[in-house]
Amino acid sequence: MKFFTSILFYLSLVLLGSCKKYLTVEPVNAVSDETTIFDKTSSETALRAVYRQMGNIGYYGENYVTFGYFPSGDIKNLTTGGSANFVNVNFRSDDVLFNTTWVAIYSAINRANHVITKVPSVNDPALTTALKNQYVGEAKFLRALAYFDLARAWGGVQIVLEPTTSLQNRPAIRRSTLADTYAQVLKDLEEAEPVLPDAVNRIRATRRTVWALRARLHLYKKEWAQAEEYATKLIDKTADYKLLKPYSTWFANNVIATQESIFELQFSLQNPNSTRLQMAHSSNGGQYRYAPNDRFVQLLNNPSVGGGRSALIGSITQSGITNWYGNLYYRKDASDPAYIFRIAEMYLIRAEARAQLNNLSATNGALFDLNQVRDRAGLAAATAATQTEVLRAIEEERRYEFAFEAHRWYDLARTGRAKAVLEALDANVKVDDHEYLFPIPVTQIQLDPNLEQNPGY
């Protein structure tokens, strides 16, 4: 099955295998574009391919997630590789990691475009109208997530809504504005919501994953009332989503798809999560390329700061030397999920939105939500009182709660606080204004004359 991105066209002809049991059919290999999606089975296979691409090494399988915490001030680089530039906030347009991620995300978009465009015209009695609508709705949610992730990292991007099948039909498209890119995200979500089931499914898109992304989108757009509204929709589903105790319950002991999870990507021995290999210590079969720095280890191990979140790190002592490592990804077969939305994020989104609306109440406002997350981590209630203090407390709580998830850098960038926070943590780190957005990969600019670089690079 040929799926080309609109930006760089060298993707594999082989459609990779399934996410764990999420659909009931096996993938089809080497199907031509003309007959790729023609019945119920091939429609399911094409949809599975979108989910699989979301877990690509360049996307949630490694790179995009590490972009969220490498430049966080809490990580140290242990190799001479490209991650050192990210840790030091020295973003370079020729860094191959940027290009790999750009290509991976646009590949996910292109795969989604195939489903969205072709499934509605499939003539197969087994593929009912309801199923067609659902599959298209899932693809639109995944496309929305992909464009959101591009936008928060690079700003406005090229919006491609039709499948690209060859170099010859590559569309000539200039970058949209950030506002227009976010508008496309919202449009996809609004169209996906009514055709998706309002049900618990932690590994497939549902109406509830739409709500989760809408809560995050409205937060980034500073639409506080709507961010509060959509986060509340999920928080109110108390029978389905819970802050689990102790803290490690949602990821330790090889668990998957717990009540903490709204949406996660699954991996397997055949389809491993590459983050685990990079993060894990060599004693656990990893390459140990980066680790929490000493300052962050002390914070997570401080009972009044990290609380139960000390479970996110582990250590091993060899020849009298103790090495600390991240412990969110630890499984021998690298089947660790990629956590896209957790209920903890919904509490902290609502807390931030309420604080911005100046509802600081400890009974039905920002402090209530913040303290739910703190209590789950085994911490006392927050002592913040003013609006500024509450917002800073929420910022810090997100720092620890999502230590190895795709949040910290994007949080500091969206609030404009990266320079103040990171330079205070390390005098050797300098954050220039243009670095609040990543550079467009130079490879992409060389390939596409319609693509403009972000200012400053």
Side-chain angles (χ1 to χ4, degrees), residues 13 25 87 100 124 150 173 198 245 261 271 313 331 444:
L13 293 177
V25 296
V87 170
T100 301
D124 180 350
L150 283 170
I173 298 175
D198 179 5
K245 292 184 178 182
S261 180
N271 176 39
I313 55 175
R331 304 171 203 226
Q444 301 305 320

Side-chain angles (χ1 to χ4, degrees), residues 216-413:
R216 190 186 287 175
L217 173 66
H218 293 306
L219 183 77
Y220 273 68
K221 294 179 66 181
K222 305 185 189 307
E223 296 169 343
W224 312 123
Q226 289 171 287
E228 178 182 11
E229 174 190 354
Y230 280 92
T232 299
K233 284 177 177 288
L234 289 155
I235 293 169
D236 283 351
K237 299 286 186 182
T238 54
D240 300 325
Y241 308 106
K242 295 179 180 178
L243 291 167
L244 300 178
K245 292 184 178 182
Y247 178 81
S248 63
T249 303
W250 61 271
F251 70 90
N253 301 313
N254 296 310
V255 297
I256 58 172
T258 69
Q259 286 183 295
E260 174 86 20
S261 180
I262 300 169
F263 180 56
E264 62 188 49
L265 296 176
Q266 292 195 324
F267 295 83
S268 65
L269 180 63
Q270 294 73 32
N271 176 39
N273 187 333
S274 297
T275 309
R276 183 263 172 202
L277 179 65
Q278 306 297 326
M279 177 181 286
H281 191 267
S282 56
S283 61
N284 192 30
Q287 296 184 359
Y288 196 45
R289 293 182 178 274
Y290 56 88
N293 59 33
D294 294 343
R295 176 180 56 249
F296 198 53
V297 166
Q298 291 175 1
L299 288 168
L300 285 178
N301 281 332
N302 183 336
S304 65
V305 177
R309 290 176 294 221
S310 59
L312 289 170
I313 55 175
S315 67
I316 184 168
T317 301
Q318 298 173 323
S319 302
I321 299 174
T322 299
N323 291 314
W324 289 89
Y325 51 85
N327 200 38
L328 181 58
Y329 306 94
Y330 59 86
R331 304 171 203 226
K332 288 287 188 182
D333 61 0
S335 63
D336 309 85
Y339 304 98
I340 313 300
F341 295 105
R342 293 196 285 118
I343 195 63
E345 183 188 357
M346 298 301 109
Y347 276 99
L348 291 175
I349 285 176
R350 193 170 73 173
E352 186 173 340
R354 285 175 164 177
Q356 291 287 359
L357 294 169
N358 209 29
N359 176 7
L360 308 180
S361 171
T363 56
N364 63 358
L367 284 170
F368 172 82
D369 291 325
L370 174 61
N371 288 333
Q372 296 302 302
V373 176
R374 289 180 61 82
D375 177 75
R376 186 275 286 278
L379 299 171
T383 58
T386 68
Q387 183 185 48
T388 298
E389 289 173 346
V390 171
L391 287 169
R392 295 295 178 267
I394 294 167
E395 177 182 280
E396 278 296 282
E397 211 64 37
R398 290 178 67 94
R399 176 187 182 186
Y400 308 121
E401 179 68 29
F402 308 121
F404 299 113
E405 296 171 72
H407 289 283
R408 177 62 169 171
W409 167 258
Y410 305 111
D411 284 342
L412 295 177

